[in-house]
Amino acid sequence: MSPAHRRRGLAALAVAATAAGVGLAVAAQPAAAASADAMIAEVYGGGGNSGATLKSDFVELANAGASAASVDGWSVQYAPASGSSWQVTPLTGSIPAGGRFLVAEGKGAGGTVDLPTPDATGTIAMSATGGTIALVHATTALTCKTAADCAADATVKDVVGFGAATIREGSPAPAGTNTTSLARSALVDTDDNSVDFTSGAPTPTNAAGDTTGGDPTPPIQAKVHDIQGTTRLSPLDGKKVGGVTGVVTAVRSFGSARGFWVQDTAPDADPATSEGVFAFTGSTSPAVAVGDAVEITSATVDEFYPDASPSSSTQQSTTELTSPKWTVTSHGNPVPAPEKLGPDTVPTAFTPEPGGNIEPLALEPSKYALDFYESREGMLVEIDDAHVVGPSTSFNELWITSKPQQNPTPRGGTLYSGYDQQNSGRMLVESLIPFAQHPFPKVNTGDRLAGVTAGPLNFSQFGGYEILATQLGDRVDGGLQPEVTRAQRPSELAVATYNVENLAPSDPQAKFDRLAAAVVTHLASPDILSIEEIQDNSGATDDGTVASDVTVKKFTDAIVAAGGPHYEVRSIDPENDKDGGQPGGNIRVSFLFNPARVSFVDIPGGDATTPVTVTQGRFPLDPKLSASPGRIAPADEAWESSRKPLVGEFLFHNHPVFVIGNHFNSKGGDQPLAGRNQPPTRSSEVQRVKQATLVNNFVKQIEKIDPLANVVVLGDMNDYPFSPALGTLTSGHALTDLITTLPKPEQYSYVFQGNSQVLDHILTSPFVLRPSYDVVHINAEFADQASDHDPQVVRFVPTSVPWPGAGH
């Protein structure tokens, strides 16, 4: 397996494609007229040099015409990269129709392999790295020294400039080396050397079809299904193959991951073997079109991993053909019909679970969704009138499902409700269509893509299978609206949590205004807010700043401007760069509270490193905090590179209420849901379980002193209600996770990879009676969002025992 070649995201690439129209934008260069028959096919100047296998330089000609092309009286000529002079090798004979013609040139002292018998022989010592080859209707040395002058010379049939060549068609082909030649990707001349030629192992071929080169092993003759095989890894991985035939179904002609998909029109009878494959041409646009019948005469099979090298990747690979050389045998052929994916097409079971790497396992496409998709890798698939289950993003991607009734939410999503409920109908969609032709749709969860969404099936560089759309349905608005919760009654205390996604003073005022409107309008101005991801005053600039008063003031001012209350703030600045999150941002949990409705019990002593403790107060049933606000066990290893919980005591109508704001460690480092290891290892949850243990123990200390205490634990827990972390947090009946009190389909506050799921929670102690709880859906399901999290609020009438001077 070769090392993974890095690729840019399709979103950025499609922008580039839009700017260029389609394909590459290159500087216009004068050129000889495009050749339809005889042309230069391959150039190699490293023969006999250090490290070379071949003893000689060569130029290979080809004939794309339907009849033999005579070269009597012609010549191959070479000029150095500067274009200062020309050397001549005369030619005689002809190039067979669709065949090759080999011209041997200078021979060096190195190398071990002779060329096949040449059809013509010269003595030119060519450069390996840069120069120009011309195919000329004469044997007189050319005198032109610029691209324009050579293009104006009627005797010039074809020109190839490579490396730093002054004389070339369009932009030059890449530089060669002692071990690589420059070869035409297909027998098509676009008059742009950078488009037509790619670098690869030399493969000199003469008119008789004899060949040899840097790799003396002839290609293995294989069909697409032979290459794909019956497991996730090709049985021909790392091997050179040829004779690969099929019809081009899609082309990617932008960015650094260009290439085309080819699908065999004569499939085998094995449902486990895919009939489609991607031919990777790097940064060179392939000279093919949809409907071309092609024969890939030479390519190397490679398993491409999108995230890392094969030895360290946790994702699945894509079987590809690298350094392909091909011939277009005909144009305008029918493209194989895409396979329609309906509600009953893809198996419900996601994957076999052997407890390890599933790559060696034989595919069972009728049993498991991941096997079904893998058995269609590179083939055309289609979903009609697709239901959107994950909104479009700034990266121009969205998630749809072929199973709209699979764990549906009331607002059109797909609920992730257990580790065995991965929702097999989900599918990522990106686009191969230039945005100038079809802008990428901006969709919300619950919308539809009317008509056909179809394209080759691919494994995304971000994980999960995707349709790279060559046909893209149009948006049908599902009517989704942001929710507005009811206002708390005078006797009710309203406590809310909201992750504001790295809020910093440098953010545009529009973000502050939208977040403020969410607090005032959608959350009905709760009495207490636990806000996660407040950054320091310099934002992501890592300059030692830890204070966040500027950030918070900009937020609270925006709330006032939106018609909300004058919230006061309590927070503790963290140690610099000790709480994780965006480097330099120093995110933390902060309390906002409305002093007209609730008071904060200030107890000095809380700082970044001093743990808050609970002791018996002066009265029975009177838990006393050592500091308010304070942080729970900030030096404990559970909080390494993670936010520390913020504890505060509030009074509402003289009833004490203890609030603990949280932001547990992220899921970074967990293996992907659709990766090669099943079930995926969730390594990050080990730390969250430790964090949950500390918070649970702290709550129990309060409840031991006052079993009737009103405690609210809330925030971004970065885990699911069915996870070990939440099980630990609620253990011993210390807390109730309120998300579990909602009807099952409504238990979500976040959307990731098309799964509606839970990361944020509000939990309450047993004597928070009859809480009124609401997840307020305003962000996660929408393409236009102020944060990727939905806020939550709980309203209740405090039942804790009021005491004069409670908490003091």
Side-chain angles (χ1 to χ4, degrees):
M1 299 179 187
S2 68
H5 39 282
R6 288 289 179 188
R7 300 178 179 173
R8 294 167 49 201
L10 274 177
L13 305 188
V15 172
T18 299
V22 179
L24 287 168
V26 296
Q29 293 285 343
S35 300
D37 42 32
M39 64 185 73
I40 300 165
E42 188 171 359
V43 175
Y44 174 63
N49 293 349
S50 175
T53 300
L54 293 174
K55 297 178 180 179
S56 304
D57 300 342
F58 70 86
V59 176
E60 183 184 300
L61 307 179
N63 179 11
S67 58
S70 173
V71 292
D72 285 335
W74 291 27
S75 64
V76 163
Q77 303 196 22
Y78 168 79
S82 63
S84 58
S85 60
W86 291 92
Q87 300 177 64
V88 179
T89 298
L91 307 177
T92 59
S94 62
I95 312 172
R100 306 290 169 137
F101 186 99
L102 184 63
V103 183
E105 295 293 358
K107 191 172 185 178
T112 57
V113 177
D114 291 320
L115 296 175
T117 303
D119 302 297
T121 302
T123 59
I124 301 171
M126 297 160 47
S127 168
T129 57
T132 301
I133 293 292
L135 178 59
V136 183
H137 288 286
T139 56
T140 303
L142 296 171
T143 58
C144 54
K145 296 183 179 180
T146 67
D149 288 345
C150 289
D153 190 327
T155 67
V156 176
K157 172 68 170 175
D158 193 18
V159 169
V160 176
F162 58 102
T166 300
I167 302 171
R168 75 270 186 167
E169 293 179 352
S171 296
T177 70
N178 290 346
T179 58
T180 59
S181 68
L182 292 313
R184 196 177 291 274
S185 301
L187 293 187
V188 177
D189 184 7
T190 70
D191 274 351
D192 188 329
N193 296 156
S194 68
V195 171
D196 292 344
F197 285 81
T198 58
S199 176
T203 56
T205 306
N206 63 19
D210 302 324
T211 186
T212 186
D215 181 1
T217 305
I220 298 169
Q221 299 300 293
K223 298 301 181 183
V224 173
H225 45 255
D226 300 323
I227 294 166
Q228 288 286 5
T230 58
T231 72
R232 286 172 165 76
L233 302 179
S234 171
L236 299 175
D237 184 26
K239 305 293 186 182
K240 183 174 287 187
V241 295
V244 183
T245 56
V247 172
V248 175
T249 59
V251 179
R252 182 158 55 204
S253 57
F254 49 83
S256 58
R258 306 181 193 194
F260 60 94
W261 285 263
V262 60
Q263 187 165 330
D264 198 332
T265 56
D268 66 3
D270 191 339
T273 56
S274 172
E275 300 294 342
V277 71
F278 179 63
F280 173 69
T281 61
S283 58
T284 301
S285 295
V288 295
V290 172
D292 283 354
V294 298
E295 179 182 357
I296 298 174
T297 57
S298 175
T300 299
V301 179
D302 180 55
E303 292 293 341
F304 168 68
Y305 289 87
D307 59 333
S309 66
S311 61
S312 60
S313 175
T314 59
Q315 298 282 13
Q316 293 194 59
S317 62
T318 299
T319 303
E320 297 182 342
L321 300 179
T322 62
S323 302
K325 295 181 175 63
W326 67 89
T327 301
V328 176
T329 57
S330 62
H331 305 285
N333 298 281
V335 173
E339 181 177 4
K340 292 187 178 183
L341 307 184
D344 300 322
T345 308
V346 182
T348 298
F350 200 61
T351 181
E353 296 189 358
N357 188 344
I358 62 175
E359 288 177 320
L361 301 180
L363 298 176
E364 299 183 80
S366 65
K367 291 184 178 181
Y368 304 112
L370 288 186
D371 290 13
F372 176 91
Y373 292 133
E374 179 65 21
S375 70
R376 273 79 173 169
E377 178 188 82
M379 296 177 63
L380 292 178
V381 297
E382 172 183 335
I383 300 179
D384 296 338
D385 293 323
H387 289 249
V388 176
V389 293
S392 53
T393 71
S394 59
F395 300 105
N396 294 299
E397 58 185 21
L398 58 88
W399 286 81
I400 59 177
T401 183
S402 61
K403 296 175 177 288
Q405 296 308 311
Q406 187 175 50
N407 300 315
T409 70
R411 292 167 60 85
T414 296
L415 185 71
Y416 182 54
S417 58
Y419 294 125
D420 60 347
Q421 297 293 321
Q422 299 95 333
N423 296 312
S424 61
R426 295 174 302 113
M427 180 74 71
L428 179 64
V429 175
E430 297 186 83
S431 182
L432 293 173
I433 310 169
F435 295 157
Q437 296 179 20
H438 193 302
F440 196 79
K442 302 300 181 185
V443 296
N444 301 325
T445 298
D447 290 349
R448 286 190 301 111
L449 298 182
V452 174
T453 296
L457 186 66
N458 185 59
F459 192 82
S460 163
Q461 62 179 327
F462 304 111
Y465 287 93
E466 65 178 347
I467 294 176
L468 295 175
T470 55
Q471 292 178 270
L472 194 55
D474 294 318
R475 181 198 182 201
V476 174
D477 189 347
L480 196 70
Q481 295 296 318
E483 291 184 333
V484 176
T485 198
R486 70 169 177 85
Q488 64 271 30
R489 300 183 180 95
S491 61
E492 291 179 316
L493 176 68
V495 186
T497 178
Y498 197 3
N499 183 318
V500 292
E501 196 177 6
N502 288 317
L503 187 64
S506 58
D507 284 329
Q509 185 62 43
K511 178 174 181 177
F512 283 90
D513 292 344
R514 285 195 61 183
L515 292 170
V519 171
V520 176
T521 301
H522 300 280
L523 285 173
S525 299
D527 303 311
I528 302 170
L529 274 163
S530 174
I531 301 294
E532 298 86 48
E533 295 201 17
I534 291 287
Q535 290 198 347
D536 65 38
N537 293 336
S538 64
T541 302
D542 196 359
D543 57 2
T545 300
V546 294
S548 62
D549 54 304
V550 175
T551 311
V552 174
K553 186 176 187 305
K554 192 171 181 180
F555 186 27
T556 55
D557 285 350
I559 291 172
V560 172
H566 290 261
Y567 283 105
E568 291 188 16
V569 181
R570 295 295 186 273
S571 184
I572 293 177
D573 294 332
E575 294 182 276
N576 188 47
D577 292 336
K578 291 293 183 68
D579 280 18
Q582 188 175 20
N586 288 312
I587 56 175
R588 82 287 312 275
V589 178
S590 298
F591 290 142
L592 275 60
F593 66 96
N594 180 1
R597 292 265 300 163
V598 66
S599 60
F600 190 84
V601 179
D602 285 295
I603 303 172
D607 59 30
T609 60
T610 302
V612 62
T613 60
V614 182
T615 58
Q616 174 69 55
R618 292 178 292 171
F619 309 100
L621 305 179
D622 183 20
K624 177 179 174 59
L625 300 179
S626 62
S628 176
R631 301 176 102 191
I632 294 177
D636 193 283
E637 66 170 4
W639 309 112
E640 183 178 354
S641 298
S642 183
R643 285 68 55 184
K644 285 70 175 172
L646 187 68
V647 182
E649 182 178 356
F650 295 84
L651 289 177
F652 182 75
H653 297 172
N654 209 34
H655 290 270
V657 177
F658 296 94
V659 179
I660 304 175
N662 300 270
H663 189 181
F664 285 5
N665 70 295
S666 76
K667 291 183 174 295
D670 287 4
Q671 293 178 347
L673 197 64
R676 62 181 179 178
N677 297 311
Q678 295 293 331
T681 299
R682 301 180 295 274
S683 58
S684 69
E685 75 179 14
V686 175
Q687 185 176 3
R688 284 192 297 279
V689 169
K690 293 178 180 178
Q691 294 174 343
T693 299
L694 292 174
V695 175
N696 176 268
N697 288 341
F698 191 87
V699 172
K700 286 177 178 176
Q701 292 175 45
I702 296 175
E703 294 175 350
K704 183 176 180 180
I705 294 172
D706 181 7
L708 306 179
N710 287 178
V711 183
V712 180
V713 175
L714 72 174
D716 180 359
M717 309 302 183
N718 267 316
D719 225 331
Y720 315 117
F722 49 82
S723 68
L726 268 296
T728 299
L729 194 55
T730 58
S731 66
H733 305 288
L735 295 164
T736 297
D737 188 3
L738 297 183
I739 194 79
T740 65
T741 67
L742 297 178
K744 193 75 169 182
E746 298 178 19
Q747 295 180 15
Y748 68 96
S749 64
Y750 189 79
V751 178
F752 180 68
Q753 293 188 346
N755 273 329
S756 295
Q757 55 193 256
V758 183
L759 294 181
D760 309 270
H761 299 258
I762 297 180
L763 306 97
T764 55
S765 57
F767 277 87
V768 172
L769 303 177
R770 295 183 295 279
S772 172
Y773 168 71
D774 194 7
V775 177
V776 186
H777 299 295
I778 60 175
N779 287 317
E781 299 167 308
F782 296 89
D784 182 19
Q785 51 186 230
S787 167
D788 51 351
H789 294 252
D790 286 333
Q792 304 179 16
V793 62
V794 62
R795 297 167 289 258
F796 62 97
V797 177
T799 56
S800 55
V801 177
W803 287 93
H808 296 281

